[in-house]
Amino acid sequence: MTNWTRACACDDIETEDHIRYDNSDRTFAIYRSPEDEFYCTDGLCTHEEVHLEDGLVIDHLIECPMHNGQFDYRTGEAKRSPVCVNLKTYPVKVEGGDVFIDIG
Amino acid sequence: MTKDNTPPWRDYSLTGRDSGPSFAPKQWYSTPVPRKRMKELMKRRDVPALIDYGIWLGLVLATGALVVLTWGTWWAVPSIILYGVFYGSCADSRWHECCHGTVFKTPWLNTAAYQLASFMSLKNPYLWRWSHTRHHTDTVIVGKDPEIAFPRPPYPLNILWNMLHLQSGWNELKKMFWLAAGRLTKDQKTFLIEADRSKAFWASRVHLAILAMTFVLAMVLQSWLPIVLIGGPTFYGSWLHHLLASLQHAGLAEDVPDHRLNSRTVYMNRFFRFVYSNMNYHVEHHMYPMVPFYNLPALHEEIKGDCPPAYPGTLAAFREMLPAILIQRRDPFYFVDRKPLLPEAANPSPEYTRPTAIAAE
């Protein structure tokens, strides 16, 4: 079952960057890639549950601010230790200059 | 001794009496820095990294060539001293930087430099990556941090032994043999994940094979030269790194979720900063480990108003640290409290009392 929720405006996120989005008791990270495409993952690193909001987006990678583990935010794949468990990703669509995520 | 025969000090092992819960990483204090500025500071660049690593490897090769050319003369002595520092001390700090993966923008350069520096400092690249990860999760948290260099009561003579890497080097060699044999200690099992264990074993076997070949070559040539050039410098040359790194946390508070109180930032001269890869900015490094070493001075400028004053020089830092660890020999509860030195405008340090005497998990 889809549950599209408006998360932010496209302009809220700089190119090659990300922001935090909280929805009730859940927290997400929404990314804008160098190609101006939008992606969404869980907000907490799978290693020690540090929020990724203070991390660094490098091309298509998000680096955790605590231990420098990296994920590919397009697929959620864990790319560099100490992260070993993939991040959950969520479908994203852009409509009327706003970013919507399907949080199920 | 107390009545129940428990030593009055802490158990620093990772599976012992004090190995209780860690601080959740989000509990650590960090000085607010605007996001835009942090993004600039976190940015990795190949050019400054290549210049630093190029100069370093150039110096290793040049002084190594000097050692070969002057071998058998008294001129070999200063050559060996210089070669030892560039090999043993510089490799240790570069191992650390590459462990964080923040040095180069190009990932394979970081991996290659990490593997090389790991061998040169005789550190297992996988075991140490995970050990260091834990060090950043639980910096100077007793029973959780595997890298507390001066557990209380400290042994000041360890500083002297480590001038020749005798204590830590011997430990690394022991680890290398055990890992090559596929064995892990109880403590190592608490932080080295299953998926990396076999990689750790093979890395130690490769390191051991290179050292064995060096030893065989020395026997065949009937000369110490191969050992002086490979493996040996980790022992006779890492003294400067040990000296500088001893200032990182020794004598300061334990079990506080605030790097301003358990780490030192020390102003050092350019040569020390080159050898040490700017790790004299140690509060900054722990607070924001994503910032590459070449941006740490700039990060220091951003946050210094929220931190106790940096030590004005290496000697000043030793003048505080050495008496502190001597006092801790008699009184393991003594520490240098940096909290009163926080500037008036600084954010207060978070209050936290760690539960005591928690049984091993």
Side-chain angles (χ1 to χ4, degrees), chain B residues 4-291:
Chain B
D4 60 356
N5 284 339
T6 307
W9 47 81
R10 316 287 301 277
D11 181 350
Y12 289 80
S13 73
L14 306 188
T15 52
R17 172 166 51 86
D18 288 317
S19 60
S22 60
F23 289 133
K26 58 190 165 199
Q27 285 179 294
W28 284 97
Y29 174 77
S30 50
T31 301
V33 177
R35 172 76 186 158
K36 191 164 184 258
R37 181 64 177 139
M38 267 320 292
K39 276 171 62 182
E40 290 166 4
L41 293 170
M42 290 190 290
K43 201 165 180 186
R44 288 82 205 261
R45 291 171 291 150
D46 280 341
V47 171
L50 282 169
I51 290 171
D52 181 89
Y53 279 63
I55 290 172
W56 167 49
L57 290 174
L59 286 168
V60 171
L61 290 175
T63 50
L66 263 181
V67 172
V68 174
L69 290 172
T70 57
W71 188 249
T73 73
W74 283 106
W75 286 108
V77 175
S79 307
I80 289 171
I81 291 171
L82 281 174
Y83 177 70
V85 167
F86 293 131
Y87 182 122
S89 291
C90 288
D92 211 324
S93 58
R94 277 147 186 87
W95 158 84
H96 169 261
E97 288 308 291
C98 293
C99 178
H100 283 279
T102 54
V103 178
F104 295 94
K105 185 172 184 217
T106 308
W108 74 262
L109 284 170
N110 206 83
T111 306
Y114 181 60
Q115 292 292 340
L116 175 69
S118 292
F119 170 73
M120 291 170 79
S121 47
L122 295 182
K123 284 179 157 70
N124 185 287
Y126 301 96
L127 186 76
W128 270 93
R129 190 191 294 278
W130 283 96
S131 155
H132 200 62
T133 295
R134 177 71 77 81
H135 173 60
H136 274 266
T137 302
D138 290 309
T139 311
V140 201
I141 306 301
V142 176
K144 301 304 284 183
D145 181 353
E147 297 183 9
I148 296 180
F150 291 90
R152 303 180 201 167
Y155 294 91
L157 282 180
N158 283 352
I159 295 184
L160 291 180
W161 302 144
N162 273 336
M163 290 301 98
L164 290 173
H165 203 42
L166 289 179
Q167 193 222 10
S168 43
W170 173 241
N171 283 338
E172 291 309 318
L173 279 181
K174 272 197 299 189
K175 278 186 214 167
M176 192 186 294
F177 278 104
W178 281 109
L179 289 168
R183 304 278 297 274
L184 289 167
T185 65
K186 254 179 18 179
D187 277 8
Q188 289 164 351
K189 283 178 186 166
T190 67
F191 59 80
L192 180 61
I193 61 161
E194 289 277 354
D196 276 357
R197 289 182 184 180
S198 133
K199 292 178 200 164
F201 299 151
W202 278 105
S204 275
R205 286 166 195 153
V206 170
H207 288 188
L208 209 52
I210 297 171
L211 292 182
M213 284 191 287
T214 307
F215 187 73
V216 169
L217 186 64
M219 299 290 279
V220 169
L221 296 176
Q222 292 289 297
S223 165
W224 286 95
L225 183 59
I227 294 169
V228 167
L229 290 174
I230 298 173
T234 313
F235 289 86
Y236 69 76
S238 59
W239 60 272
L240 185 52
H241 180 266
H242 284 298
L243 205 64
L244 302 179
S246 67
L247 293 170
Q248 290 175 355
H249 309 287
L252 300 180
E254 293 175 338
D255 291 356
V256 287
D258 190 340
H259 298 113
R260 297 175 299 175
L261 308 183
N262 69 10
S263 308
R264 281 189 185 84
T265 284
V266 182
Y267 292 132
M268 289 185 182
N269 64 52
R270 286 180 74 89
F271 179 69
F272 283 2
R273 282 174 48 199
F274 169 73
V275 170
Y276 196 28
S277 296
N278 277 345
M279 274 305 108
N280 52 308
Y281 296 104
H282 215 63
V283 174
E284 289 77 2
H285 168 65
H286 269 281
M287 204 182 271
Y288 288 109
M290 296 186 69
V291 174

Side-chain angles (χ1 to χ4, degrees), chain A residues 14-18 47-48 50 53-58 63-68 70 80-82 84, chain B residues 25-26 28 35-36 39 42-44 100-102 105 110 129-130 133-134 136-137 193 196 289-290:
Chain A
E14 290 181 16
T15 303
E16 204 177 1
D17 201 3
H18 66 310
H47 174 226
E48 290 194 348
V50 174
E53 65 175 325
D54 292 326
L56 179 65
V57 173
I58 310 166
E63 187 170 304
C64 171
M66 186 78 185
H67 298 108
N68 311 84
Q70 290 182 337
R80 188 174 76 192
S81 66
C84 306
Chain B
K26 58 190 165 199
W28 284 97
R35 172 76 186 158
K36 191 164 184 258
K39 276 171 62 182
M42 290 190 290
K43 201 165 180 186
R44 288 82 205 261
H100 283 279
T102 54
K105 185 172 184 217
N110 206 83
R129 190 191 294 278
W130 283 96
T133 295
R134 177 71 77 81
H136 274 266
T137 302
I193 61 161
D196 276 357
M290 296 186 69

